[in-house]
């Protein structure tokens, strides 16, 4: 008779259902955060999405595991993009935002600033470009601030200074060249629950690919390894594959694993149809599903 004792990873991964309230959830996530930290590259980053019920608890756990100094920011995701309309009146303020906590393993973490192009600006932002050159190029103006006289003279040579009817001078920003640095408020990525989005799968916690694309591009280069240990419907793995990253995706739920597998096969087919390279992947079963 042969009996194999479960290893530490299997014991941690399959012994709980965290159905006993917030304390059991925090105990579960705390142990996993330690494993994730130990697996991370020294320049690696971790993003953890949570809603209003657990955000404060999870942040305290991450402060302890990763260190307060390695807390970089809290990204606020406004799930409904501007113009999507709101709920009818209720007994309290509606819950429209969720948090993404952003930590790093060390001070040497990789980060690539992401920008919105002119095509991604909101209607309100586009209205700022209300000036037009004779050739039709639209631009907006801002005060010169602390530019030196030499810098202003150089900008005049490049036709980047606008002079008002009162003689005041402003700097020009052309719409076709404009890039807006993305900050910690993400209000331009709508939730998948709205409309007939072809990206939508029958999975309750699915995130938009645009959200993961922004994260993957900001914190990795092509060829880097991206891991999602609560992969759900496989959004992270699908985006990583499309962006030329290597990936590892895990989940306790059998439905999540099969949804991810089916989704990644479709990604392979799409890449093949477009003449782009794609790779094989393997599905490994480490133990019992939850």
């Amino acid at each position: 008779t042969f009996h194999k004792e479960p290893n530490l990873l299997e014991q941690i991964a399959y012994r709980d259902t965290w159905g006993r309230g917030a304390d059991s959830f925090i105990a579960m996530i705390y142990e996993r955060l330690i494993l994730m930290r130990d697996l991370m590259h020294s320049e690696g980053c971790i993003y953890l999405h949570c809603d209003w019920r657990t955000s404060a608890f999870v942040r305290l756990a991450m402060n302890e595991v990763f260190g307060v100094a390695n807390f970089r920011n809290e990204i606020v995701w406004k799930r409904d993009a501007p113009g999507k309309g709101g709920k009818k009146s209720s007994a309290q303020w509606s819950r429209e935002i969720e948090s993404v906590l952003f930590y790093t393993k060390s001070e040497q973490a990789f980060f690539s600033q992401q920008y919105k192009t002119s095509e991604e600006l909101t209607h309100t932002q586009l209205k700022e470009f209300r000036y037009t050159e004779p050739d039709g190029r639209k631009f907006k103006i801002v005060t010169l601030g602390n530019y030196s006289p030499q810098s202003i003279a150089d900008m005049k040579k490049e036709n980047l200074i606008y002079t008002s009817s009162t003689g005041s001078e402003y700097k020009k920003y052309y719409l076709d060249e404009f890039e807006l640095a993305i900050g910690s408020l993400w209000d331009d990525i709508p939730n998948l629950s709205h409309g007939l989005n072809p990206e939508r799968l029958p999975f309750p916690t699915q995130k938009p690919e645009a959200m993961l694309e922004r994260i993957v591009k900001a914190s990795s280069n092509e060829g880097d390894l991206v891991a999602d240990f609560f992969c759900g419907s496989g959004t992270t793995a699908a985006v990583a594959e499309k962006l030329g990253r290597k990936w590892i995706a895990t989940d306790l739920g059998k439905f999540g694993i099969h949804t991810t597998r089916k989704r990644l096969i479709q990604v392979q087919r799409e890449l093949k149809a477009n003449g782009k390279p794609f790779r094989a992947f393997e599905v490994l079963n480490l133990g019992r599903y939850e």
Side-chain angles (χ1 to χ4, degrees), residues 13-267:
Y14 303 110
R15 74 182 180 208
D16 62 86
T17 59
W18 63 87
R20 299 181 298 278
D23 55 344
S24 66
F25 171 79
I26 297 303
M28 178 277 297
I29 197 70
Y30 183 84
E31 293 174 319
R32 286 159 176 77
L33 288 171
I34 292 173
L35 287 172
M36 294 179 210
R37 179 199 63 197
D38 293 344
L39 290 169
M40 282 172 61
H41 191 280
S42 60
E43 298 178 4
C45 307
I46 182 169
Y47 294 80
L48 195 151
H49 166 267
C50 47
D51 66 12
W52 59 275
R53 291 167 293 190
T54 58
S55 179
F57 301 117
V58 171
R59 181 167 173 177
L60 290 174
M62 295 188 77
N63 279 347
E64 186 169 332
V65 174
F66 291 93
V68 176
N70 289 322
F71 171 65
R72 300 303 178 196
N73 213 330
E74 179 178 2
I75 298 166
V76 176
W77 176 36
K78 187 176 183 298
R79 298 182 306 240
D80 296 332
K84 288 289 183 181
K87 294 182 178 179
K88 295 180 180 180
S89 61
S90 64
Q92 64 168 355
W93 303 111
S94 62
R95 298 187 180 102
E96 300 171 336
I97 64 171
E98 295 183 8
S99 295
V100 179
L101 301 177
F102 172 40
Y103 283 75
T104 62
K105 188 168 183 177
S106 69
E107 294 181 356
Q108 291 76 40
F110 172 84
F111 182 77
S112 175
Q113 177 66 58
Q114 299 297 294
Y115 298 89
K116 290 183 182 179
T117 64
S118 58
E119 291 81 10
E120 298 171 305
L121 298 181
T122 66
H123 177 69
T124 302
Q125 292 167 332
L126 287 171
K127 286 173 64 177
E128 297 178 5
F129 295 85
R130 55 192 178 90
Y131 300 90
T132 307
E133 296 282 21
D135 61 0
R137 291 184 77 191
K138 292 184 176 295
F139 64 94
K140 72 174 184 176
I141 60 173
V142 297
T143 56
L144 286 175
N146 297 320
Y147 285 104
S148 66
Q150 183 58 52
S151 295
I152 295 174
D154 292 339
M155 286 189 284
K156 283 183 176 179
K157 293 178 182 177
E158 298 176 17
N159 192 31
L160 293 177
I161 297 296
Y162 173 83
T163 305
S164 69
S165 58
T166 61
S168 299
E169 294 182 330
Y170 301 86
K171 183 178 180 181
K172 297 179 182 178
Y173 285 95
Y174 288 102
L175 178 60
D176 57 8
E177 297 177 347
F178 188 74
E179 288 185 328
L180 180 66
I182 297 171
S184 58
L185 174 60
W186 293 3
D187 60 356
D188 57 336
I189 302 176
N191 194 7
L192 294 177
S193 62
H194 291 285
L196 300 176
N197 193 316
E199 184 183 319
R200 190 177 179 184
L201 298 170
F203 203 92
T205 59
Q206 182 184 358
K207 304 299 181 296
E209 287 195 8
M211 184 183 196
L212 273 299
E213 181 176 332
R214 183 172 293 174
I215 288 173
V216 171
K217 284 183 175 179
S219 295
S220 67
N221 289 307
E222 285 193 37
D224 285 350
L225 178 60
V226 176
D228 186 348
F229 298 102
F230 295 79
C231 70
S233 63
T235 304
T236 302
V239 170
E241 182 67 23
K242 292 177 183 180
L243 295 178
R245 275 69 168 173
K246 293 177 286 187
W247 51 266
I248 297 173
T250 74
D251 203 280
L252 285 180
K254 184 178 291 186
F255 180 61
I257 293 297
H258 287 314
T259 301
T260 298
R261 175 182 174 273
K262 183 177 179 180
R263 184 175 187 174
L264 288 164
I265 290 173
Q266 183 59 34
V267 170

